[in-house]
Amino acid sequence: MKNKKYWLLTVLSVMLIMVLAACGGESATKENTEKENTNGESTSTDNGSKSSDIEFLSLATGGTQGTYYALGGTFADLITDETGIKTTAEVSQASAANVNALKAGDAEIVFIQTDIAYYAKNGELMFEGDAMENLVAIGGLYPETVQLVTTANSGIKSFEDLKGKKVSVGAPGSGTYANAEQLLEIHGLSIKDDIQAQNLDFGESTDGLQTGQIDAAFITAGYPTAAVEALGATADVVIVPVAADKAEALIAKYPYYAKDTIPAGTYGLESDVPAVSVLAMIATTSDLPEDVAYGITKAIYANAEKISHAKGAFIKTETALDGIGIPVHPGAQKFFDEQ
């Protein structure tokens, strides 16, 4: 009887030791997993998708008096709230410079014109021999109007009047520079031979117009553009029109353009002014994790009604992929497919 009790106690002790060992192993495994999740590159969510450990995102915009910068702060706040990733809007030299910022890893998200995105992806014009193969779209935003801005005092009323004049065309290699070059070409003018080209940003351009140091300026941005509005406070703004036949010739040669109109009342204009535009978009690289790209896309397009800038009215899910011209990030595509 005594031996039976001893045997029973021995069996119970062994079983208890095994249970404690199993619990200890489970705790160790759980602890190791938690450590891996904290220190590793990514963790797994309940649905099996990757959750990135990215803590900061840089959004490259444009100059402080352009539409990119005006929208950038709002976008950064929306992305921060939606994804939990601290996002900051950065001043930049806009489209072409933003491509280079992506390449260098100085930005994760950028504003860019669709035409410049196409050149960068395919290694054309200012990106000849230097294609950015991993450039992908988040989505399109709004039309960016190519505005040839001058004042009533300049006497300039047509593109032909620009001959021999001091004209701001933006920085070499910028989107504005390319637009200026192509529009001048359609009007039979050369940026090198027929005008005195000045490489100024938007703020410098309107300051120059105000002081009379330049005669006209190309500004590619969504209207109303802050720099041009500021000019309108001290001078009578004139936007030089693009005739219908010239617009059609431009679109035939460069199909990423579209006809546009700057409505009466903008900058104090007395009547509508025919113009042309490209499209503003948000881009990133294919290296950005899918869940982060999804969150960025959702933050912007699902909250467009929170965007107070006038261009917020153009930011719509149903038109976000129109006229993009480059591949869309899988994370962004997933969001649009769900709508």
Side-chain angles (χ1 to χ4, degrees):
M1 185 70 177
K2 195 173 183 179
N3 287 339
K4 285 184 179 180
K5 286 182 179 181
Y6 178 80
W7 174 251
L8 181 60
L9 286 172
T10 301
V11 170
L12 289 173
S13 297
V14 171
M15 291 177 65
L16 180 60
I17 290 170
M18 290 176 66
V19 169
L20 290 173
C23 291
E26 184 178 343
S27 298
T29 301
K30 184 177 181 181
E31 184 178 351
N32 289 337
T33 301
E34 287 174 350
K35 285 181 179 178
E36 286 172 5
N37 290 346
T38 302
N39 302 322
E41 226 159 278
S42 63
T43 62
S44 292
T45 60
D46 290 339
N47 61 11
S49 63
K50 268 191 160 184
S51 176
S52 171
D53 65 346
I54 293 175
E55 296 181 357
F56 301 101
L57 291 170
S58 177
L59 170 59
T61 62
T64 56
Q65 297 195 57
T67 307
Y68 286 175
Y69 186 77
L71 283 171
T74 300
F75 282 17
D77 290 342
L78 292 174
I79 294 167
T80 299
D81 292 344
E82 176 66 35
T83 66
I85 302 172
K86 175 64 177 175
T87 304
T88 305
E90 308 288 353
V91 177
S92 79
Q93 293 299 312
S95 292
N98 289 351
V99 171
N100 293 327
L102 277 180
K103 286 182 179 179
D106 295 331
E108 289 75 39
I109 328 163
V110 300
F111 281 82
I112 188 173
Q113 295 174 200
T114 49
D115 53 335
I116 303 305
Y118 179 87
Y119 301 148
K121 183 74 175 181
N122 295 284
E124 298 181 8
L125 292 185
M126 70 284 288
F127 298 103
E128 186 173 357
D130 190 27
M132 186 177 178
E133 296 180 358
N134 66 338
L135 181 66
V136 292
I138 293 291
L141 300 172
Y142 57 87
E144 286 203 278
T145 308
V146 186
Q147 305 166 74
L148 178 51
V149 184
T150 186
T151 64
N153 289 338
S154 73
I156 296 171
K157 297 180 180 180
S158 68
F159 276 78
E160 288 73 21
D161 293 336
L162 295 176
K163 197 160 188 177
K165 300 295 176 64
K166 292 181 179 178
V167 183
S168 173
V169 295
S174 69
T176 298
Y177 188 96
N179 301 146
E181 189 171 43
Q182 291 160 357
L183 265 170
L184 288 169
E185 172 198 342
I186 291 299
H187 287 85
L189 299 172
S190 165
I191 203 169
K192 294 181 180 178
D193 301 330
D194 294 316
I195 64 170
Q196 298 180 54
Q198 311 292 308
N199 304 121
L200 308 176
D201 65 24
F202 294 171
E204 293 168 338
S205 293
T206 51
D207 287 346
L209 287 169
Q210 184 177 351
T211 59
Q213 293 179 318
I214 63 172
D215 303 298
F218 283 91
I219 292 180
T220 301
Y223 62 78
T225 308
V228 185
E229 286 188 308
L231 175 64
T234 58
D236 292 329
V237 171
V238 172
I239 305 295
V240 178
V242 179
D245 61 328
K246 297 298 184 183
E248 289 163 6
L250 182 72
I251 295 166
K253 187 166 186 179
Y254 304 106
Y256 36 75
Y257 283 98
K259 287 184 178 181
D260 200 355
T261 300
I262 301 173
T266 309
Y267 314 131
L269 299 173
E270 294 182 358
S271 58
D272 293 352
V273 177
V276 294
S277 63
V278 289
L279 190 69
M281 64 186 286
I282 291 287
T284 184
T285 70
S286 54
D287 302 323
L288 191 72
E290 184 173 324
D291 66 309
V292 177
Y294 179 94
I296 290 168
T297 311
K298 182 179 179 181
I300 295 169
Y301 292 92
N303 295 285
E305 74 282 354
K306 297 179 182 178
I307 300 170
S308 59
H309 191 281
K311 289 303 175 187
F314 291 89
I315 301 173
K316 300 177 181 178
T317 300
E318 56 267 31
T319 58
L321 301 182
D322 294 348
I324 292 298
I326 65 172
V328 179
H329 192 291
Q333 187 67 60
K334 179 182 176 183
F335 171 80
F336 294 124
D337 289 344
E338 290 175 355
Q339 305 312 301

